[in-house]
Every structure is written in structure tokens, then in C-alpha cells.
Amino acid sequence: MTKYDRLGRTEMLAQAARDRRRRDMTALQELLAKVEAGVKYETMGHTLLCQKAFPKPEDFDGSREAYANSNAQLAVLAWRNGSLDAAKALHKAVLLGYYVAEMGNNSKSMGWSVRIVNTEGDYQSGIGGSNLARAWLIAIIKALIAQEATT
């Protein structure tokens, strides 16, 4: 007997959604730790981590084009390639109501930093050393974790 067997359909779906979020949250935290630590993207395990942190939408058709435009692939491109286009597209896809407030480089102390703010004034910052896209990805992940913590 699973934990879902005792629940009604509505409760079962709600519990499954909470479990999925919990898994995503763990993956987001693990991804954040790796990107903040400056771990170089190099293995299939890193791709799988991005896929856990940014799961496929329910209407995902499995095509190459759908994967290339997926949030997981955008995270990979921002992390591995330093793609600002990917970081910007990921930001637009997953962070409604957030905008970039500051972006700058203080090369003597910390390198590139990005600060994103939502309409309530809550903000998240990312520091990415020599990689602006990495800093932006860090800020995005921190904002997603903060959102999940408040729901």
C-alpha cells in the first residue's frame, strides 16, 4: 500500500504535486550549490540535474526542437556556455513578475553580479565570477527557491 492509497483523488493529486515540488526543490538546491561553487559543467549527470530542477511541461512532445527550447536546456546553456540569451529566456520563462534591477562587474572582488527584483520588492542576487550568465542563473535559482519556500 502506498501513501496515496488512503487519499481521495483530489488529495492524491495535491500530494503528488507537493512531492514533485519537493523533488524539484532538492534539485534546485543541488544545482544552486554546484553553480555557485563554480563547478564546471561537464557530465551527463549535470544535464540530468538540470532536467530535475526544470522538469518538462506536460505538453512536451519529445522533439529535438521542444528539448532545445526547454527550461532545462536553457539552464544547461547558461551554465555550460555562458549564454546570456539562454539566461534571459529562462528568466522570462520561469520568473513572472521579476526584472533585472542591477547587472555589473566588480572584477577586483567578486566579478559579475546580477540582482533581480519582483514587484513586491523582494530580490535575489547572483555572483558568477567571470561569467555573467552564471550569475544570472544563480539569481534565477535563488528566486525560484524563495518562491517555493513561501508557497
Side-chain angles (χ1 to χ4, degrees), residues 13 25 62 64 107 129 131:
L13 293 173
M25 189 70 145
R64 238 178 232 269
S107 58
N131 190 324

Side-chain angles (χ1 to χ4, degrees), residues 4-71:
Y4 299 120
D5 291 339
R6 295 182 302 272
L7 303 173
R9 178 163 173 73
T10 304
E11 294 87 11
M12 179 184 71
L13 293 173
Q15 182 63 45
R18 283 192 295 276
D19 288 348
R20 233 183 356 266
R21 262 199 311 274
R22 205 170 300 123
R23 282 193 303 270
D24 297 345
M25 189 70 145
T26 301
L28 280 170
Q29 290 167 338
E30 185 179 343
L31 180 59
L32 176 62
K34 288 186 182 302
V35 176
E36 276 190 315
V39 172
K40 184 178 177 193
Y41 175 97
E42 46 189 32
T43 68
M44 187 60 176
H46 291 149
T47 299
L48 295 174
L49 178 59
C50 288
Q51 290 173 350
K52 285 182 199 171
F54 298 99
K56 299 173 196 141
E58 293 192 15
D59 62 350
F60 185 79
D61 65 8
S63 69
R64 238 178 232 269
E65 183 179 341
Y67 179 73
N69 296 318
S70 70
N71 295 337

